[in-house]
Amino acid sequence: MNPIHKFTSLRLYSLLASSRKARILSASALFLTVCAFGAAGVAPLAPDASNIPVRSIAQDLALPNLTAQITALQQDGQKYFHEEKIRGGDSLAVVLTRLGVDDAAAESFIKSNKVARGVMQLATGKRVQAQTAADGQLQWLRTTVVDGKDNPLKNIFVKRKGDSFVATETPAKLERRIEMHARDITSTLFAATDSSADGSKLPDSISAQIVEMFSTNIDFRSDLIRGDHFNVVYETFWQDGEMVKAGRILAGEFTNHGVTYQSVWFDDPSSKLGGGYYSFDGKSLKKAFLKSPIEFSRISSGFSMRMHPISGQWKQHKGIDFAAAIGTPIRASGDGEVASAGVQNGYGNIVVLKHWANYSTAYGHMSGFAPGIKKGVKVSQGEVIGYVGITGWSTGPHLHYEFRVNNEARDPATLNVQAQAPLTAGELTRFRMVSADMTHRFSLLRPAGMVLAAR
């Protein structure tokens, strides 16, 4: 081989070998780098916390002065909180004693101060709270009372200020709730409202409203029988978890002798009629006249011929006698105006009410008249106008009741006086929303399988 060609071939081989070796070395280095990365993972960006030096800072904190606090507590004295509920027959002194109050000045203040005297309205079940010092000195006392029959509830707060006391009153902030109850009659209405299987008791005001609501259809003294049933939905008002009063019955349902009477309260703000009770088809239940002017009584003599108990003559008895104890309240049987109130021959103390058109009613043998009853005064149906007595030609305590048309006595059982006007179309629409809610509530209260014979 030509020497020049031989040298050239060797040189070319050497260059190729060097280039190949470089590529192998590069590839090897890359492979080792990848393996190292996979084995070690991602290197942390922050330094290892264990390698960071720790700096300690010392600071002296002042300890509280316990002696000063103990001294302040001793000077302030211990305070005791008490809560009691009024029991039947309680006096103010008895209640204060149970509250841990031994403070003659406090008792004297409550009795003499115009505002604090409200505390002495000790209704059974009422809650009273007080805070006293260790020696029984009153620090403060509070309770809730009713300021009159139709006035709102108020909170009374009596507080010590030095050696004297101050009393303040504020309107009660009440929460309204709706309650539903069902009862079976075993003897009387009040026996049914006083007890039940769950131990609950209906408020007395609700019992009285049940009587008023159905008194035009049911005589609660003589008509009730064992097995009668009623459902009632009413409102209650609460403060701080305590029921402070019962409100109005919103709906009632009473089954008497198999016939069910229903009533729902409807008060449309846009109506001029005001609130009232209606049947579930929207007809007013306010009858022109009550069935009985006395809530619990019996008819001792009806509208018929009889032997007069004093004269002994056989003659027409132009009224209805309701036997009742002396002092029993007598109610106006309908809306009207007092035509006369005074003494009249055999009637004794008598009130005559003039109603619309040519109707009037008379109430005789009263022991006395209700406050404010005099000629010209307007009265509402159910309002107390007097009290049962034995005045005039009477042999025993009772009410002599007459229903008159054109001043002539008539038998009220034979009359059919129209009730007030029905609801308008707009009022009826709003009424149906209220009645639908009460219908659902009654369905939950009725015994299983009960079939209504509504009237």
Side-chain angles (χ1 to χ4, degrees):
M1 178 180 295
N2 189 324
I4 295 175
H5 291 168
K6 183 177 180 181
F7 176 78
T8 301
S9 299
L10 290 173
R11 180 60 177 173
L12 179 60
Y13 177 81
S14 176
L15 290 173
L16 293 172
S18 297
S19 176
R20 182 181 179 188
K21 183 177 181 181
R23 289 196 301 272
I24 292 173
L25 289 174
S26 297
S28 299
L30 179 61
F31 175 77
L32 291 175
T33 299
V34 171
C35 291
F37 181 87
V42 178
L45 298 177
D48 190 344
S50 62
N51 295 327
I52 299 176
V54 178
R55 297 175 61 190
S56 299
I57 299 176
Q59 183 178 359
D60 293 331
L61 299 176
L63 295 176
N65 187 344
L66 297 180
T67 302
Q69 293 186 24
I70 293 173
T71 302
L73 288 173
Q74 289 175 341
Q75 292 176 349
D76 185 50
Q78 297 296 317
K79 300 293 188 297
Y80 299 91
F81 176 80
H82 311 264
E83 179 176 299
E84 287 289 333
K85 286 194 173 183
I86 303 302
R87 306 168 189 170
D90 275 351
S91 65
L92 176 62
V94 170
V95 174
L96 291 178
T97 299
R98 288 211 307 272
L99 288 169
V101 178
D102 184 11
D103 193 334
E107 183 176 352
S108 177
F109 175 80
I110 292 173
K111 290 180 177 179
S112 60
N113 182 268
K114 181 179 179 180
V115 174
R117 275 201 304 267
V119 175
M120 299 175 65
Q121 299 178 20
L122 303 175
T124 302
K126 182 69 63 181
R127 183 170 62 179
V128 183
Q129 298 172 324
Q131 187 182 80
T132 64
D135 60 357
Q137 275 198 344
L138 179 67
Q139 302 301 310
W140 58 257
L141 179 146
R142 65 187 175 202
T143 189
T144 303
V145 300
V146 179
D147 185 17
K149 179 181 178 181
D150 299 318
N151 294 329
L153 287 139
K154 62 182 180 181
N155 296 322
I156 294 181
F157 189 72
V158 177
K159 184 178 182 180
R160 174 180 289 278
K161 279 199 172 183
D163 294 331
S164 61
F165 296 89
V166 293
T168 57
E169 61 182 32
T170 56
K173 297 180 180 178
L174 302 178
E175 171 198 357
R176 180 176 179 266
R177 300 182 186 178
I178 305 299
E179 300 200 21
M180 309 189 310
H181 291 279
R183 292 287 192 275
D184 291 317
I185 299 295
T186 56
S187 55
T188 67
L189 173 67
F190 284 102
T193 58
D194 280 348
S195 62
S196 68
D198 60 6
S200 61
K201 177 183 182 299
L202 269 63
D204 290 342
S205 62
I206 297 301
S207 302
Q209 288 183 60
I210 291 174
V211 172
E212 182 178 357
M213 178 182 293
F214 297 107
S215 62
T216 55
N217 296 304
I218 302 172
D219 186 334
F220 283 89
R221 185 180 181 91
S222 60
D223 288 351
L224 297 185
I225 61 173
R226 187 181 184 88
D228 284 353
H229 178 87
F230 70 89
N231 304 314
V232 63
V233 180
Y234 61 93
E235 58 185 1
T236 55
F237 295 90
W238 297 68
Q239 180 178 242
D240 299 330
E242 177 192 23
M243 194 194 86
V244 293
K245 73 169 184 176
R248 185 191 304 279
I249 290 181
L250 302 178
E253 182 177 76
F254 207 111
T255 299
N256 174 237
H257 289 270
V259 178
T260 299
Y261 304 92
Q262 296 176 317
S263 180
V264 58
W265 174 261
F266 179 62
D267 188 2
D268 190 344
S270 64
S271 173
K272 297 181 180 180
L273 296 175
Y277 288 104
Y278 293 80
S279 63
F280 274 65
D281 58 0
K283 295 179 180 178
S284 173
L285 292 179
K286 183 177 181 179
K287 298 295 180 67
F289 296 94
L290 297 179
K291 186 176 182 180
S292 170
I294 300 178
E295 288 187 359
F296 296 97
S297 180
R298 63 181 177 84
I299 296 177
S300 55
S301 181
F303 194 95
S304 61
M305 296 296 293
R306 69 166 188 176
M307 182 74 71
H308 194 277
I310 294 179
S311 68
Q313 296 180 353
W314 185 263
K315 60 184 301 185
Q316 175 74 44
H317 183 234
K318 296 183 178 182
I320 299 176
D321 290 347
F322 294 90
I326 293 177
T328 301
I330 299 170
R331 305 173 298 165
S333 63
D335 297 340
E337 179 181 313
V338 178
S340 64
V343 180
Q344 182 181 339
N345 300 326
Y347 289 103
N349 292 328
I350 183 174
V351 171
V352 178
L353 301 181
K354 177 175 174 52
H355 307 284
W356 64 94
N358 53 356
Y359 300 117
S360 61
T361 52
Y363 311 78
H365 305 318
M366 290 183 171
S367 61
F369 309 118
I373 295 299
K374 58 184 179 180
K375 185 176 180 178
V377 172
K378 295 186 181 300
V379 296
S380 300
Q381 185 180 75
E383 183 177 341
V384 174
I385 58 174
Y387 307 92
V388 170
I390 194 173
T391 59
W393 300 344
S394 174
T395 58
H398 70 279
L399 166 69
H400 175 81
Y401 172 68
E402 288 186 13
F403 188 92
R404 300 171 176 175
V405 181
N406 290 325
N407 292 323
E408 290 292 331
R410 298 279 298 275
D411 184 356
T414 64
L415 300 177
N416 183 20
V417 183
Q418 185 177 1
Q420 71 182 48
L423 297 173
T424 65
E427 291 168 343
L428 189 58
T429 299
R430 291 183 288 273
F431 169 81
R432 284 172 178 157
M433 297 175 63
V434 176
S435 62
D437 175 44
M438 295 304 163
T439 298
H440 173 68
R441 292 176 184 271
F442 282 161
S443 67
L444 298 175
L445 290 171
R446 290 188 195 111
M450 179 178 178
V451 178
L452 290 184
R455 180 175 177 179

